[in-house]
Amino acid sequence: MEAFRRRVGGFAFGGDYNPEQWDRTVWKEDVRLMRQAGVNTVSLGVFAWASLEPEPGRYDFGWLDEVMDLLHDNGISVNLATPTAAPPVWLTHLHPEVFPIREDGQPFGFGNRLHYDPSSPVYREYAARITTKLAERYSFHPALAMWHISNEYGPTSYGEAASVNFRHWLRRKYGSLDALNEAWTTRFWGQVYTDWEQVDVPHIPRTWMNPTRRLDFKRFTSDALLECYIAERDIVRSFRDDIPVMTNFMRFFRHADYWKWAREEDAAALDIYPNPAEAHSHVSAAFNYDLFRSLKGGQPWMLMEQAASAVSQWKLNIVKEPGRMRLGSLQAVSRAADSVMYFQWRAARGGQERFHSAMLPHSGPESRTFKEVTDLGREMKLLAPVAGTRSSADIAILFDWDGWWGLEEVFGLPRNDWSYTETVMRHYTPLWERHHAVDVVSASSSLDGYKVLVVPNAYLIDDAGAARIEAFARDGGTVIMSFFSGVVDADNRVRPDGYPGAFRRLIGAKIDEYWPARPDESFTVAFADGRRATSTWWRDDLHLESGTALATYADGLLAGRAAVVENRFGAGRVVYFATLLEQEAFDETVARVVAESGVRSRFEGVPAHVECSVRGDASHEYVFLLNHSAESGVSVPVGGEGTDLLTGRPVSGEVSLDPLGAAVVQLARG
Ligand code: GLA
């Protein structure tokens, strides 16, 4: 990635470019305007299979040759896509078995995109063929700077090919049917398998289902997609191995385990469309940016797609009001993105996304959006020294796909209306509002160097993950954990000897029963320090062992019993929430526990709507200050003398931000 950064002179700036949708007379104008806007990189050919191979085995690369040359002549680098997210209609007619089969048994059909079954050997064969052709032709083209493998891997198929592949996957995992029967607890309801051929994908909707079969099917589907990615990646790498290869991931995407995927990528790349109609969409964006930075151990990541203004996929598509696109882009950069890229360069005239905004909108270069894009393109150049720099955090938050699938993919839990992402955001938000730097970890990540670990509702966690969390606390870490954690093992089987099996010693309490609350029920919670709050949704019927009560219920059948537990564990401390506290009381408690661990934010006291984060290298720190308020300006102390890279002006002690204003202050270290 270092070579790529050098090549583009810092940040990649650009977007998806679809010249195949336009007459070649438009291409020259495109490139002229790209230069005007400061574009240095485009993602090319994302859905262009039908234009590259109009008939089976007949290729038309002429147009792409021309575009690659034109871009290169104008100093624009190409992130060249394999077009395999959109199989041509001829392929689906020749081989209808490439279609994914939906959960209801119907084929997905032609007319959208992503209409392929990742397990289909035919699909894989044709995808390998077009990928090989592209790599043969363009691997040494001077415009080629990066490979963009396919697009937003995502389809799940319940068809025959999936069943065959699932069985292979299970045989590799379990080795014997006995081991599978044991892991899936198939004695329950007499589901015992006696021959591998009997094992099938879970066809029926997910309400009544063997929960381990469903869980393994999620793991398998993520792996089947990953196999497709790896196959194409290895083809392009076999031609030359010095060009970075990646695919674009999605925000909060449940169907692919990005921790596992990221190991196979040269950079983690994210497509994200925060909804301007939602007041807090920038906070969940911040979490996703932290996740993407963390996926590859703190390496800068790529913002691969965002909207220049409105999208078109929701019922109501609000524009990004003046200044918001810039602010959102700088937000990604502040959390270690090394690119600002958009879907798409030029707005499409037809097709499903004809009203999706673009860097160059239907109204042309004399438009608000193009002006804002061009202004940002200029600013990205000013920020060049920031590219490649990293950030550090004392706090980590657990976000794990196994845990997500455990909570949301199968019914049969004490309550079945979980939202893992909401619970994660509930835990992340108080940290974000107090300007704490936060890394995201998986159950298998190293926890070295962190002081606080936040564990939101980790229902399913494997033994190694649970042991790592225990060791973290024993060695002096602070763990903040919430209810229904550590309940089942990696096979979705309830851990023995009382809830919460994996964490009973850690939290210093045994839970007799889980008591989900009735819809209108609420409980009064009294803290030892006199604070009172309400809670809803859930209570643990919990008996303290080594733990003590930080708060107890003041009413209801559990009156006098612990609602929030504190446990001294080894050299560390654990605070466990056994109920869903109202947000304010939860935030305040989390903030106190973090403060008591000794972790402080250098931006303490700065209003919550000013997002503060820091990137840096050996010689400099870059302090990003982003004012999310459209109403009021604000002054923020930066603790030193430096320069605002966006204005070039010196900064002494404090920076003033306009409404929606931003500053990136360069401070010399030491
Ligand atoms: C995704 C896709 C793009 C485009 C955008 C906007 O991120 O990768 O091709 O469809 O969504 O909807």
Side-chain angles (χ1 to χ4, degrees):
M1 288 306 292
E2 189 45 48
F4 176 80
R5 255 190 305 273
R6 271 201 308 276
R7 178 183 174 126
V8 298
F11 288 95
F13 184 70
D16 276 36
Y17 182 37
N18 304 102
E20 72 277 17
Q21 295 171 14
W22 298 91
D23 194 88
R24 54 169 46 72
T25 52
V26 177
W27 301 348
K28 286 225 166 69
E29 190 200 32
D30 279 334
V31 171
R32 181 178 62 77
L33 291 172
M34 282 180 191
R35 292 180 57 143
Q36 191 177 322
V39 168
N40 58 26
T41 309
V42 293
S43 302
L44 189 61
V46 173
F47 300 113
W49 196 343
S51 304
L52 293 169
E53 190 180 2
E55 287 170 29
R58 184 170 74 75
Y59 300 97
D60 179 2
F61 289 118
W63 65 270
L64 188 53
D65 292 349
E66 244 180 89
V67 173
M68 292 284 285
D69 291 348
L70 180 66
L71 290 164
H72 180 63
D73 292 345
N74 284 277
I76 297 165
S77 293
V78 172
N79 177 21
L80 186 59
T82 63
T84 51
V89 69
W90 56 254
L91 177 53
T92 67
H93 275 247
L94 213 52
H95 297 287
E97 70 271 27
V98 300
F99 280 133
I101 303 299
R102 302 186 318 197
E103 202 166 3
D104 63 5
Q106 295 302 309
F108 185 73
F110 187 81
N112 194 326
R113 51 187 182 177
L114 299 177
H115 44 281
Y116 62 87
D117 176 345
S119 291
S120 157
V122 178
Y123 166 73
R124 289 187 182 193
E125 190 189 318
Y126 278 86
R129 199 171 81 176
I130 185 71
T131 300
T132 307
K133 287 285 172 199
L134 269 182
E136 268 169 11
R137 196 166 185 101
Y138 298 109
S139 285
F140 294 93
H141 192 287
L144 181 72
M146 184 176 276
W147 281 106
H148 182 298
I149 301 295
S150 209
N151 195 66
E152 296 190 337
Y153 277 99
T156 298
S157 179
Y158 295 80
E160 187 45 36
S163 273
V164 172
N165 201 16
F166 188 38
R167 278 195 286 277
H168 287 313
W169 186 92
L170 291 166
R171 288 181 94 128
R172 282 198 301 275
K173 175 168 179 180
Y174 292 110
S176 76
L177 262 188
D178 284 349
L180 178 141
N181 278 312
E182 174 67 18
W184 288 14
T185 320
T186 54
R187 290 274 164 211
F188 189 83
W189 283 352
Q191 295 178 345
V192 182
Y193 296 95
T194 55
D195 190 312
W196 281 106
E197 289 307 304
Q198 299 158 349
V199 187
D200 214 352
V201 298
H203 287 290
I204 51 169
R206 68 185 72 136
T207 41
W208 295 84
M209 166 59 58
N210 180 309
T212 316
R213 181 178 171 202
R214 180 89 202 171
L215 177 67
D216 270 345
F217 183 64
K218 292 310 291 180
R219 292 168 172 153
F220 154 76
T221 299
S222 173
D223 284 358
L225 290 163
L226 182 56
E227 282 167 9
C228 293
Y229 166 79
I230 288 174
E232 294 187 27
R233 179 202 66 188
D234 289 353
I235 291 170
V236 302
R237 273 205 188 144
S238 70
F239 286 82
R240 64 186 285 193
D241 61 9
D242 58 342
I243 297 284
V245 189
M246 53 91 231
T247 187
N248 46 348
F249 293 162
M250 291 166 269
R251 162 195 182 273
F252 279 146
F253 185 66
R254 196 169 78 213
H255 309 291
D257 179 350
Y258 286 160
W259 289 109
K260 201 165 176 189
W261 277 69
R263 294 200 282 268
E264 308 294 339
E265 315 267 332
D266 289 322
L270 171 67
D271 300 348
I272 190 165
Y273 295 90
N275 188 347
E278 284 170 14
H280 300 291
S281 58
H282 60 291
V283 186
S284 93
F287 175 84
N288 277 273
Y289 301 156
D290 287 346
L291 170 64
F292 272 68
R293 185 189 61 244
S294 304
L295 281 177
K296 288 193 70 68
Q299 261 185 48
W301 54 280
M302 296 196 70
L303 175 60
M304 192 51 79
E305 288 181 22
Q306 65 164 345
S309 185
V311 300
S312 60
Q313 66 257 40
W314 300 316
K315 197 163 178 187
L316 174 63
N317 299 298
I318 301 290
V319 298
K320 290 185 177 171
E321 287 153 3
R324 293 236 179 238
M325 185 277 289
R326 170 188 188 243
L327 197 65
S329 306
L330 293 174
Q331 185 194 16
V333 171
S334 75
R335 293 178 183 272
D338 264 3
S339 69
V340 172
M341 308 268 294
Y342 303 77
F343 175 83
Q344 53 195 326
W345 161 251
R346 183 186 275 275
R349 291 195 52 206
Q352 165 65 23
E353 301 199 299
R354 64 207 178 286
F355 283 104
H356 192 292
S357 62
M359 300 169 82
L360 181 61
H362 293 136
S363 49
E366 300 305 319
S367 56
R368 172 179 79 86
T369 298
F370 190 72
K371 182 173 181 314
E372 288 188 29
V373 164
T374 305
D375 288 347
L376 182 63
R378 203 181 49 248
E379 290 190 307
M380 294 312 295
K381 293 198 183 107
L382 303 174
L383 295 181
V386 182
T389 61
R390 296 186 166 227
S391 54
S392 65
D394 290 328
I395 305 178
I397 184 165
L398 180 73
F399 183 81
D400 192 81
W401 267 261
D402 250 8
W404 193 354
W405 293 331
L407 274 185
E408 287 191 31
E409 280 293 332
V410 270
F411 273 36
L413 302 175
R415 63 182 307 156
N416 294 293
D417 52 354
W418 300 86
S419 165
Y420 185 60
T421 53
E422 266 176 36
T423 198
V424 166
M425 286 313 300
R426 203 179 137 72
H427 290 74
Y428 176 81
T429 301
L431 303 169
W432 182 88
E433 284 177 342
R434 288 161 183 79
H435 318 294
H436 285 295
V438 176
D439 283 345
V440 183
V441 291
S442 76
S444 51
S445 303
S446 159
L447 301 175
D448 290 352
Y450 297 114
K451 297 198 171 79
V452 176
L453 174 68
V454 181
V455 183
N457 305 105
Y459 156 73
L460 186 152
I461 189 159
D462 65 3
D463 297 347
R468 213 169 277 116
I469 295 175
E470 249 198 41
F472 174 79
R474 194 179 310 109
D475 296 346
T478 295
V479 176
I480 297 172
M481 180 178 279
S482 43
F483 54 87
F484 211 46
S485 289
V487 187
V488 293
D489 63 16
D491 294 326
N492 220 345
R493 289 188 301 193
V494 177
R495 291 176 177 279
D497 303 325
Y499 313 134
F503 296 130
R504 181 169 161 189
R505 269 180 312 176
L506 185 78
I507 70 166
K510 179 181 173 181
I511 296 158
D512 187 359
E513 280 181 310
Y514 290 122
W515 286 17
R518 292 183 173 79
D520 305 326
E521 248 178 335
S522 68
F523 316 98
T524 308
V525 172
F527 281 82
D529 61 14
R531 282 182 299 145
R532 278 172 108 79
T534 55
S535 81
T536 53
W537 214 75
W538 184 277
R539 284 173 305 166
D540 291 345
D541 173 12
L542 171 151
H543 298 275
L544 294 172
E545 294 178 326
S546 57
T548 54
L550 266 189
T552 52
Y553 298 103
D555 52 19
L557 286 171
L558 296 180
R561 307 269 296 281
V564 183
V565 178
E566 170 177 32
N567 193 32
R568 298 281 164 186
F569 189 81
R573 181 189 188 201
V574 181
V575 172
Y576 174 79
F577 293 91
T579 185
L580 188 74
L581 270 189
E582 63 180 284
Q583 187 79 40
E584 210 183 303
F586 177 76
D587 291 1
E588 206 180 311
T589 312
V590 167
R592 281 185 192 205
V593 175
V594 169
E596 285 156 10
S597 77
V599 172
R600 297 222 104 78
S601 162
R602 67 195 260 182
F603 304 104
E604 224 169 272
V606 174
H609 64 263
V610 183
E611 184 168 343
C612 311
S613 32
V614 181
R615 291 180 72 168
D617 56 20
S619 55
H620 291 95
E621 280 188 323
Y622 301 95
V623 176
F624 283 74
L625 304 167
L626 311 170
N627 183 10
H628 289 282
S629 165
E631 281 81 45
S632 41
V634 62
S635 279
V636 183
V638 290
E641 314 256 311
T643 310
D644 181 355
L645 292 182
L646 294 172
T647 59
R649 283 196 216 111
V651 171
S652 177
E654 217 174 59
V655 163
S656 306
L657 302 171
D658 291 335
L660 299 183
V664 182
V665 184
Q666 181 184 49
L667 299 169
R669 278 206 203 264

